[in-house]
Amino acid sequence: MGENKKVILSGSTVTGDLTLGNYIGAINNWKKLQEDYNCHYFIADLHALTVQQDPKALRERCFSFFAQYLALGLDPEENTIFVQSHLHEHAELAWILTCLTPMGNLNRMTQFKDKSAQTKNINAGLFTYPVLMAADILLYQADLVPVGEDQRQHMELCRDLVIWWENRYGEGSLKMPEAYIGKAGARIMSLQDPTKKMSKSDENEKNFVSIIDSPKKIQKKIKSAQTDSDTVVTYDPENKAGLANLLTIYSVLSDKSVDEICKDYEGKMYGHLKVDLADLVVETLKPVQEKYDDLMKNKDHLEDLMAKGADKARVRAQDTLKKVYETTGLIFRR
Ligand code: TRP
């Protein structure tokens, strides 16, 4: 099953919680993606170690993230969902690729420059972060990798690595991946700064609704969402970006068109719309939160699902690692 489909691979670091933007992206895309592609999703817990973590909190966050994906409806039967550190192949391939990566290329990574400027004690893992990411991708012979703008340079390094590899060892063991630009769906923007995307790693909590925020928190965040001083509810993303964002969310969650919604609020204030939208978001996320709570109550079951995902992922990972060992002159263990 899924053998002839192209492979999509996507990793997620465990900072922040998934947002309403992720929810909307998920309901719009996941079903279709899982029909068309052989989808691999993983929790990048090894990447999380590049910054200092409290061990207990990290473990809890990994469980939570895994549960959040499942609660959003990612189906572990139809997709391969796993935890990065459960496959030692990631670290092994990362080491081999590290030995192929020129220092100079890593020195040029803007994310490293940004992050290391903000951190006092910089570790080598932060520096080689992009190589581990390349290993994640190449291990599964991924065709397509959905990444945001901030990960483009890392994607380029991954593609460079395939070229360096082929220059040294010849073609055949690693597949050249491409960045996957999904169809432009509804773009959900930050609640306080509607010019930028809603992001789970935003340092200002008021900018996003997390899928596991309490109803009270959701209501507060939506009511305080930035709008303009006009009073008429119209869809005008140029001049009324904040309101347009709320209307987009409303439209996606209610299945009503933006025009219909504007009509419904004729002669009413923005406040009315915000109150109703907040209720709608709370109602929408209710089943997600119930599922999440159930999953989090049973860690044993979660660990079983993680193990099943890892078993599925291991088939491809082993296949690649074997080729890599043979190509580089290492003896592949029996
Ligand atoms: N670096 C990615 C991020 O911060 C997460 C990630 C790790 C990833 N490995 C990956 C994404 C492999 C895609 C493919 O978002």
Side-chain angles (χ1 to χ4, degrees):
M1 194 193 67
E3 282 320 303
N4 301 317
K5 291 179 181 172
K6 286 197 170 175
V7 174
I8 281 193
L9 174 111
S10 178
S12 181
T13 49
V14 290
T15 39
D17 290 306
L18 297 181
T19 68
L20 189 58
N22 295 119
Y23 171 86
I24 289 170
I27 51 168
N28 285 339
N29 294 324
W30 282 353
K31 268 242 146 59
K32 184 90 183 88
L33 282 179
Q34 90 188 19
E35 279 163 20
D36 295 349
Y37 299 97
N38 179 358
C39 295
H40 288 63
Y41 301 98
F42 70 94
I43 309 287
D45 57 343
L46 293 176
H47 277 107
L49 292 176
T50 57
V51 294
Q52 202 177 326
Q53 300 278 353
D54 170 59
K56 224 177 127 193
L58 175 61
R59 189 169 301 124
E60 193 64 17
R61 294 212 55 72
C62 288
F63 277 120
S64 172
F65 245 75
F66 198 80
Q68 287 180 44
Y69 275 105
L70 299 179
L72 279 191
L74 200 57
D75 180 348
E77 296 295 325
E78 299 295 326
N79 304 277
T80 306
I81 316 168
F82 60 99
V83 179
Q84 183 185 31
S85 66
H86 288 183
L87 289 116
H88 55 72
E89 290 84 351
H90 288 253
E92 283 177 71
L93 182 58
W95 174 254
I96 294 169
L97 296 178
T98 302
C99 297
L100 202 67
T101 309
M103 292 286 285
N105 290 67
L106 292 181
N107 262 325
R108 283 200 285 279
M109 292 288 136
T110 52
Q111 190 171 81
F112 173 71
K113 288 191 212 165
D114 291 349
K115 279 197 189 169
S116 57
Q118 295 163 17
T119 325
K120 261 200 263 112
N121 301 311
I122 305 156
N123 63 63
L126 197 59
F127 187 63
T128 57
Y129 182 113
V131 185
L132 178 58
M133 179 163 160
D136 299 336
I137 296 166
L138 300 176
L139 194 54
Y140 297 95
Q141 310 278 348
D143 295 283
L144 298 165
V145 185
V147 284
E149 208 38 58
D150 62 327
Q151 298 297 314
R152 283 216 169 234
Q153 205 185 14
H154 292 164
M155 235 0 252
E156 274 317 303
L157 182 93
C158 177
R159 291 169 53 86
D160 283 341
L161 264 164
V162 177
I163 295 169
W164 299 329
W165 177 275
E166 291 183 349
N167 286 342
R168 184 171 305 179
Y169 299 111
E171 285 177 25
S173 21
L174 298 178
K175 181 164 215 165
M176 181 67 87
E178 268 170 55
Y180 173 81
I181 316 290
K183 280 180 215 79
R187 249 167 88 83
I188 306 305
M189 312 306 276
S190 153
L191 295 178
Q192 295 299 327
D193 177 4
T195 59
K196 61 178 197 190
K197 227 177 105 183
M198 184 181 281
S199 160
K200 72 182 169 65
S201 36
D202 202 311
E203 61 300 337
N204 182 1
E205 243 217 306
K206 289 168 106 183
N207 280 337
F208 58 86
V209 169
S210 133
I211 60 162
I212 53 175
D213 273 345
S214 67
K216 234 173 132 178
K217 229 180 189 172
I218 294 173
Q219 265 143 358
K220 224 170 136 190
K221 285 181 178 177
I222 293 197
K223 278 178 205 164
S224 64
Q226 193 226 75
T227 40
D228 53 85
S229 54
D230 192 18
T231 49
V232 188
V233 176
T234 49
Y235 182 73
D236 180 356
E238 284 272 307
N239 303 308
K240 300 157 79 137
L243 184 68
N245 187 38
L246 299 182
L247 285 168
T248 303
I249 299 171
Y250 202 133
S251 166
V252 176
L253 299 187
S254 65
D255 269 333
K256 282 188 190 172
S257 73
V258 165
D259 285 346
E260 270 175 83
I261 299 165
C262 289
K263 270 215 193 81
D264 288 348
Y265 287 91
E266 240 169 38
K268 292 189 189 154
M269 315 273 262
Y270 289 180
H272 287 116
L273 174 91
K274 284 181 169 180
V275 170
D276 293 347
L277 176 59
D279 287 344
L280 178 59
V281 173
V282 168
E283 274 314 299
T284 306
L285 290 180
K286 205 170 156 195
V288 175
Q289 299 192 345
E290 281 167 3
K291 186 156 179 211
Y292 172 79
D293 290 340
D294 274 351
L295 286 162
M296 285 300 276
K297 263 187 231 140
N298 192 345
K299 299 274 166 68
D300 204 45
H301 175 58
L302 276 180
E303 282 194 55
D304 273 346
L305 292 173
M306 288 174 175
K308 274 196 195 131
D311 285 344
K312 252 164 104 179
R314 195 167 291 116
V315 180
R316 285 187 89 78
Q318 278 283 313
D319 186 52
T320 304
L321 200 68
K322 184 162 187 280
K323 282 189 198 147
V324 164
Y325 267 55
E326 280 162 2
T327 309
T328 47
L330 301 170
I331 299 167
F332 193 65
R333 53 191 160 259
R334 282 199 182 155

